[in-house]
Amino acid sequence: MDTFNEPYTRAGDDISLDQVRQQVRNLENQHHANGVTLSGRIIHVCHDLPYAPTLTPSTSPARAGVLSPPATPPVVPGDVPPSPSDTSAPSPPPVERSEQSRWKLAPRYGHAAMISGIRSLSETHEQLIVGWTGDIQSGIDEDKTIPSQSIDQADRDALEQELAVHVGTDGDEEEHKTTYVPVWMDDKIAHGHYDGYCKTILWPLFHYLLWQDVATEYASADTHYEHYEKANQAFASRIASILKPGDLVWVHDYHLLLVPRLLRATLGEKGGDAVIGLFVHTPFPSSEVFRCLPRRQELLDGMLGANLVCFQTYSYSRHFISTCVRVCGYETTPSREGGNGQKYVGIDVQGHVAAVSHCPVGIDADRVARDTLRPGIQPKLEAIRALYADKKIIVGRDKLDVVKGVLQKLRAFEKLLQDYPEWLGNVVLIQVTSPALSDSPKLERQVSELVAHINGEYGSLDFIPVHHYHQTLKKDEFYALLSVADLGVITPLRDGMNTTSMEFVIAQERTKQSPLVLSEFMGISQHMGDALQVNPWDLGDVAAAMNRGLVMPRSEKLSRHQKLHKVVTTHTSHTWAAVLVKMLLGQINGRNTARRTPFIPKEHLKASYDKAAKRLFLFDYDGTLTPIVKTPAMAVPSQDTLVALERISADPRNIVYIVSGRDQEFLETHLGHIKRLGMSAEHGGFMREPGVDTWENFTESIDMSWMEEVAEIFRYYTERTTGSHIEMKKSSITWHYRSSDPEWGQFQCRQCQDLLENNLAHKRPIEVLVGKKNLEVRPIAVNKGEIVKRIMYKNPDSEFVFCAGDDKTDEDMFRALHLFPSGSSPDTKAVMEPPLSVTLVEKNSAAEVELAITRDAVFTTAVGHSSKRTLASWHVTTPEEVVDHMLFLVGETSRSGSQCGEEDGEAKSSL
């Protein structure tokens, strides 16, 4: 990371909505001019649709006499019950149904800011909102639900038609269409996903609680993971069925963390072309908390399938990056500019780079301001004033959830009455708690007991200090309460975005401009620096902030309020949504949407192979013929790999080389028994021709006196980097930091690289290579590219070349095989001058040679993601697929099935 002192919002985002939209149009125009396909559609993927469907009994003749499906027993509701804050979202009217329709749609409350922001994009783009249907309510008994599996295809199609009719009823005029796409899931999967894994595992974890801290009985963290994965796959399949070239896909929140990766897998070879963003609305915990999760690797890999992963705050994005580095062993790319001029840090996952950034969510400030003018508010406001005419009013509204800090707030209010006795009889706390994600009778009892204790200790016949209401307030009551307050206190122990704090600011605009006490552990707190920020665990600090807010001079109140009001009305949900589009457009043609390398088809490879009279095979070893493993010494070839090499090399028309960074001893030990197999060790420093037992040393005529200077520098960094070590080879020297702290090791690596490049490399015939968890220095004349040139030069009559590799050192091989100038005709013959690897060893003069190879017979193949930045023309995803292609060429099939999978999180050395 470049700095730990990043602003809550980035430069360039603190502008008006119209300006952001103009930037979006400019980016789109640039992409169109560059030939990039953009459909003008944005697909938003949310956990559930913003409408709750009800299936009514059929009255049509076709269904006459057919009984309604049986209702299931009540289940724990999957949605958060409506809260005053949530009802600030648009409340569209129910749709008028056609005579034959059996569906009724009613607005589903919750996630108001997100839905408001998404809908605002309808002014500029066509919108598709993909979400679960939710429980299907029965039209006969509203307390009953209908099993989703009992709803036939005709009724499912009818719901889609009903949702299509719903377009344009959202209360705002739209220039573009919004389409709602339902996702159907079996009830067991749907509730195991949401009520199980999301609510009992992920929600607590993302708020710094482990599942056993909130569970009422023992529960394994893996109990509902299968449902979570199946639900995410259902979403991915539904998206794939509607996705068009040029669509932008935004996946929302922790319910759907696997969707980016699963969507790419579902799309197959087209998956690399999808432009996917993931926005996490909750906090993201530190790596030490997240690493407790058994399925941490799967979730992180799912998230990293996106082109852009976005969070509420910079600190959450930093936690995520640190988790990817520490838990998975992935490396970060330096800060770079996207197409929109913004800097992003990326996570490199086998060549696919996922950018990481942050963007704060706001509320629909204009709509909330209109809601505060509702005629029903003023009478309620005056009634509250009359009830507490001579008292200061402190207001709190929270869900009754352990992370919302209601108990701590009540204890802090008690501390206020203890430390500042002048407030006895002069201040009241009105605390409203609404039902939370999960019922907590224990917490509800604790709150009630504490309220009774405070009222008993500090109250009297004519004074009740705490008024607690566990209910969902109506909108008019809620805004009346916010407007009449002398102080707002919102102090959760951990929270992402909190809409109540921003609604408080807008509600106070027309009344008292009262101050606000906020927890510093809220994502929104960095956004609202002029609130009185406190540590909710420090009761004395909170009590002092309450007192300060109550006695604050009018001028200071007004100054703080004006600054907060500007923030809340500038960074709205509409601006947030537009910035997300801008950020995702900025990733197109960036590093993480590089040229997509096509998958190499077996039949095409086989056809070219069969036509050739002489064939050349060039393979890297680690990550190409064998999976990457934790300990390099354990990377032994599988039975399939050995069979493939033996069968291919046995054909006299084939010449096969292993071109590896491994030393001679390792290659001899594991592959030396294959007599017709040629080998190059230490990146081309040594070479053994096929059928020969002796090795040629290409470094004998090269100045190697630089090695001691480099070793001295490496020793300096080894002493200061616990877990690092130096590997001395005959032709190169490598500093490994795989076993050191990942972030410290990477920092030291960059410092060492800078020292070598600026103080040594320009004086000596060497080059510095950054590998995976290592830094290598080698002679300029020794690399895999030079060896490949030598092999091609010695075999000019080759008519087929298959070259495969997986890392940066293998790019030298691919570069050497770029034999034909771009734009040259298919009949152009390639001519090769004698390479350095020939002239250094053979003292006699060598002449240039004409190669028999044609352009379409060179198969340079990168192992990894299709978006990996590479000079190769083709790709395969795994080493197993390389071996599978080799076996296919000789008419064999895999004998052992799937080889050992790659051990995620471990980086290979420069081999």
Side-chain angles (χ1 to χ4, degrees), residues 272 348-353 591-597 623-624 628 772 805-808 810-811 814 861-872 874-877 908:
D348 190 334
V349 186
Q350 298 177 354
H352 168 75
V353 179
R591 178 165 184 165
N592 54 347
T593 53
R595 175 183 66 87
R596 303 292 174 179
T597 311
T624 301
I628 301 169
K772 295 179 179 179
D806 76 305
D807 73 0
K808 295 175 184 177
D810 300 316
E811 294 298 313
F814 303 148
T861 307
V863 181
H865 197 277
S866 65
S867 65
K868 184 177 186 175
R869 290 175 65 86
T870 179
L871 296 171
W874 304 91
H875 96 279
V876 294
T877 307
K908 68 177 279 186

Side-chain angles (χ1 to χ4, degrees), residues 819-829 855:
L819 304 169
F820 301 90
S822 59
S824 59
S825 67
D827 299 329
T828 302
K829 289 293 184 179
R855 185 195 305 272

Side-chain angles (χ1 to χ4, degrees), residues 22-33:
Q22 183 58 51
Q23 291 177 349
V24 170
R25 285 191 290 271
N26 292 342
L27 275 171
E28 290 176 330
N29 291 336
Q30 289 176 20
H31 290 321
H32 285 306

